[in-house]
Amino acid sequence: GAGVSQSPRYKVTKRGQDVALRCDPISGHVSLYWYRQALGQGPEFLTYFNYEAQQDKSGLPNDRFSAERPEGSISTLTIQRTEQRDSAMYRCASSLVAVGATREQYFGPGTRLTVT
Amino acid sequence: QQQVKQSPQSLIVQKGGISIINCAYENTAFDYFPWYQQFPGKGPALLIAIRPDVSEKKEGRFTISFNKSAKQFSLHIMDSQPGDSATYFCAASRMDSSYKLIFGSGTRLLVRP
């Protein structure tokens, strides 16, 4: 079946511009996570949705970062007034359910963001 | 604060050998410990996972050993193959913290033919 998809795969933007990164989770997956992965490092948590509710946004670096999942499926991570330090790989992961035995998170291919 | 420490940073193993990657955690509230395999240009792929009520879990050539008292867990890859060459990440999560994954810093494994 189809895995987690993300678009665009690559995004180059100028400093100060806003960007929107999209995540389409595995069909039927209730939980959706955004992570940021620096080169050579493990992913770092940004935010988490259960259905359409943003349950945890403790990993968002500052208020320029926001995310939504209005219908409980596709999610958008928005970065306003981008800065060079925002350059990274942004990954989305989804999970069938967060509670109980099924906690496996499946990752998408990521969006490579470069801010010039 | 690094909550999951992973070692070694890189590892070279001959084909057929055993690859061992270690992780240590600090928070005793962690209750789920997965390992991910990542090839260049790809997203992390779930390899195997364990819960703290089990001391060992084996799936094919991959085994997780878990030591709750020492707060350590490790990945063993038996009969390592060149196709296993990838970066491996350990992770941990807590039921009471959004199940978000806290990752180790990764181990780059190279299996020589």
Side-chain angles (χ1 to χ4, degrees), chain A residues 24-97:
Chain A
D24 197 345
I26 294 172
S27 178
H29 276 199
V30 166
S31 301
L32 185 147
Y33 299 79
W34 283 98
Y35 292 84
R36 181 166 67 176
Q37 186 174 16
L39 199 61
Q41 299 295 316
E44 290 188 352
F45 171 79
L46 294 176
T47 186
Y48 155 63
F49 290 85
N50 195 36
Y51 294 100
E52 72 281 358
Q54 190 172 21
Q55 302 278 19
D56 185 344
K57 54 181 182 179
S58 63
L60 295 177
N62 51 62
D63 59 8
R64 295 185 297 105
F65 288 73
S66 64
E68 63 176 7
R69 193 186 184 197
E71 298 179 0
S73 180
I74 293 170
S75 176
T76 302
L77 177 70
T78 300
I79 308 173
Q80 295 179 311
R81 304 180 303 281
T82 53
E83 301 177 4
Q84 285 188 325
R85 59 178 171 159
D86 299 334
S87 296
M89 178 70 80
Y90 289 83
R91 297 200 188 274
C92 174
S94 70
S95 176
L96 183 57
V97 289

Side-chain angles (χ1 to χ4, degrees), chain B:
Chain B
Q1 181 184 7
Q2 186 179 5
Q3 298 189 52
V4 180
K5 294 184 179 181
Q6 184 171 346
S7 63
Q9 189 174 8
S10 62
L11 181 62
I12 299 175
V13 173
Q14 289 296 127
K15 178 183 177 181
I18 302 174
S19 304
I20 302 175
I21 304 170
N22 301 297
C23 283
Y25 63 97
E26 300 167 4
N27 194 331
T28 56
F30 286 138
D31 61 351
Y32 175 70
F33 303 88
W35 283 89
Y36 281 82
Q37 179 188 56
Q38 185 173 20
F39 292 105
K42 303 293 186 182
L46 179 65
L47 198 58
I48 187 172
I50 198 168
R51 296 182 184 276
D53 54 348
V54 176
S55 62
E56 184 175 283
K57 183 175 181 180
K58 182 176 181 179
E59 289 185 3
R61 296 185 294 110
F62 300 92
T63 299
I64 299 180
S65 297
F66 187 84
N67 186 328
K68 188 174 182 178
S69 61
K71 294 188 287 185
Q72 295 176 347
F73 58 110
S74 60
L75 177 69
H76 292 63
I77 306 175
M78 312 300 287
D79 187 26
S80 298
Q81 299 297 311
D84 297 331
S85 298
T87 299
Y88 292 82
F89 293 98
C90 63
S93 73
R94 294 166 44 186
M95 181 175 63
D96 63 348
S97 185
S98 305
Y99 303 93
K100 62 190 175 190
L101 293 170
I102 308 298
F103 282 86
S105 54
T107 296
R108 183 175 290 186
L109 171 66
L110 175 63
V111 181
R112 294 197 187 281

